[in-house]
């Protein structure tokens, strides 16, 4: 075999994302951002035209989103944007509170200044995204904040559990972050978590995390109840 050929890298590079993955992100974001409203029908033909993909891709995307809880299939109606369920939302916030309170306590007890610095960097990004009215940035920086909270104390299993709920959490979070004064109150509550971690006060860090989740839960419950009553 020619030496030059042996030294040539002839591997076929896989595209960073497939067409299905790109379409999935677009539809998921459209639901989370409220472009497609809860209860709205998702017509395959229309989605094919909007996305510029085949019906096969659209069907795969809808099946995946159904597994994530964002889409529901109704008899004689087909796929719709799933209605947010109040009981499910309460359970998600219960799980968040338990895990985030634990992680905040452990971060404080670790007494590592680098943890507070990393959290503060994400918090700065959240405030900047709010100022720019970049809601995607708020969601991204918020996820980064919590990833630091869990992974800096080696709670990767707990972070894995949170990740399994990420789509549902972000669906709820996308509503709560847009409510009045949340751009001020939310970061202020998170700042209390960081301050307690910086001081090494595990109990205060846990309380601050639980308070932040409880306030977000109250907002979400009000919004979902209003949605269900059609207000």
């Amino acid at each position: 075999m020619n030496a030059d050929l042996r030294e040539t890298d002839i591997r076929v590079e896989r595209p960073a994302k497939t067409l299905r993955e790109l379409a999935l992100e677009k539809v998921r974001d459209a639901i989370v951002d409220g472009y497609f409203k809860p209860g709205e029908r998702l017509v395959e033909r229309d989605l094919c035209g909007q996305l510029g993909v085949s019906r096969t891709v659209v069907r795969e995307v809808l099946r995946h989103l159904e597994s994530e809880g964002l889409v529901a299939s109704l008899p004689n109606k087909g796929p719709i944007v799933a209605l947010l369920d109040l009981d499910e939302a309460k359970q998600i916030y219960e799980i968040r509170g338990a895990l985030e309170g634990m992680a905040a306590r452990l971060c404080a007890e670790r007494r590592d200044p680098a943890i507070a610095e990393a959290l503060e960097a994400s918090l700065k990004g959240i405030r900047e995204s709010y100022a720019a009215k970049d809601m995607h940035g708020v969601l991204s920086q918020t996820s980064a904040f919590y990833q630091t909270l869990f992974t800096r104390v080696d709670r990767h299993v707990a972070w894995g559990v949170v990740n399994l709920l990420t789509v549902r959490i972000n669906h709820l979070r996308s509503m709560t972050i847009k409510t009045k004064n949340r751009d001020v109150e939310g970061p202020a509550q998170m700042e209390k978590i960081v301050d307690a971690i910086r001081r090494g006060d595990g109990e205060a860090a846990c309380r601050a995390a639980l308070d932040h989740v409880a306030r977000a839960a109250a907002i979400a419950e009000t919004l979902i109840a209003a949605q269900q009553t059609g207000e």
Side-chain angles (χ1 to χ4, degrees):
M1 182 181 291
N2 185 286
D4 291 338
L5 181 59
R6 283 200 303 269
E7 293 173 1
T8 302
D9 185 355
I10 62 171
R11 290 175 299 175
V12 176
E13 295 294 336
R14 180 182 180 278
K17 292 182 180 179
T18 65
L19 192 60
R20 176 189 173 281
E21 290 168 336
L22 291 170
L24 175 61
E25 287 183 0
K26 290 289 187 181
V27 180
R28 183 192 287 127
D29 287 347
I31 292 173
V32 169
D33 291 345
Y35 178 80
F36 294 129
K37 307 296 182 185
E40 183 176 344
R41 286 190 64 204
L42 296 170
V43 182
E44 289 182 3
R45 182 182 63 255
D46 294 344
L47 287 173
C48 288
Q50 290 172 306
L51 296 167
V53 298
S54 69
R55 182 161 289 191
T56 298
V57 170
V58 167
R59 286 174 178 169
E60 290 176 354
V61 165
L62 292 175
R63 280 197 296 269
H64 189 103
L65 291 173
E66 187 172 359
S67 73
E68 292 182 345
L70 293 183
V71 168
S73 290
L74 300 183
N76 304 318
K77 193 171 183 180
I80 65 167
V81 178
L83 295 168
L84 290 165
D85 182 84
L86 186 57
D87 184 61
E88 181 180 286
K90 288 180 179 179
Q91 292 183 51
I92 288 172
Y93 283 110
E94 285 173 359
I95 293 169
R96 276 193 57 193
L99 295 179
E100 291 170 19
M102 173 200 69
R105 181 191 298 276
L106 292 172
C107 282
E109 293 173 351
R110 184 65 62 93
R111 295 182 181 275
D112 179 359
I115 296 177
E117 290 173 7
L119 291 171
E120 192 63 59
S122 294
L123 191 49
K124 180 183 178 184
I126 291 170
R127 288 188 169 112
E128 290 175 346
S129 296
Y130 265 125
K133 301 189 183 304
D134 175 11
M135 294 300 107
H136 274 294
V138 174
L139 291 175
S140 177
Q141 291 293 335
T142 301
S143 293
F145 181 95
Y146 288 110
Q147 183 174 10
T148 295
L149 201 69
F150 285 98
T151 58
R152 288 296 184 95
V153 287
D154 304 317
R155 290 307 184 268
H156 299 285
V157 174
W159 177 239
V161 172
V162 173
N163 270 328
L164 289 174
L165 295 170
T166 291
V167 173
R168 288 178 172 88
I169 289 172
N170 277 345
H171 197 189
L172 293 165
R173 188 174 282 150
S174 69
M175 297 191 309
T176 61
I177 63 175
K178 296 172 185 173
T179 55
K180 186 177 180 180
N181 296 328
R182 196 59 184 165
D183 58 330
V184 175
E185 293 173 353
Q189 292 159 16
M190 296 169 81
E191 187 71 64
K192 290 181 179 179
I193 301 172
V194 179
D195 287 344
I197 289 172
R198 189 179 287 111
R199 297 195 311 270
D201 189 338
E203 182 61 29
C206 180
R207 284 199 310 270
L210 288 171
D211 179 61
H212 179 56
V213 172
R215 295 195 188 194
I219 294 170
E221 288 174 21
T222 298
L223 292 172
I224 293 171
Q227 184 184 97
Q228 291 176 343
T229 58
E231 293 180 7

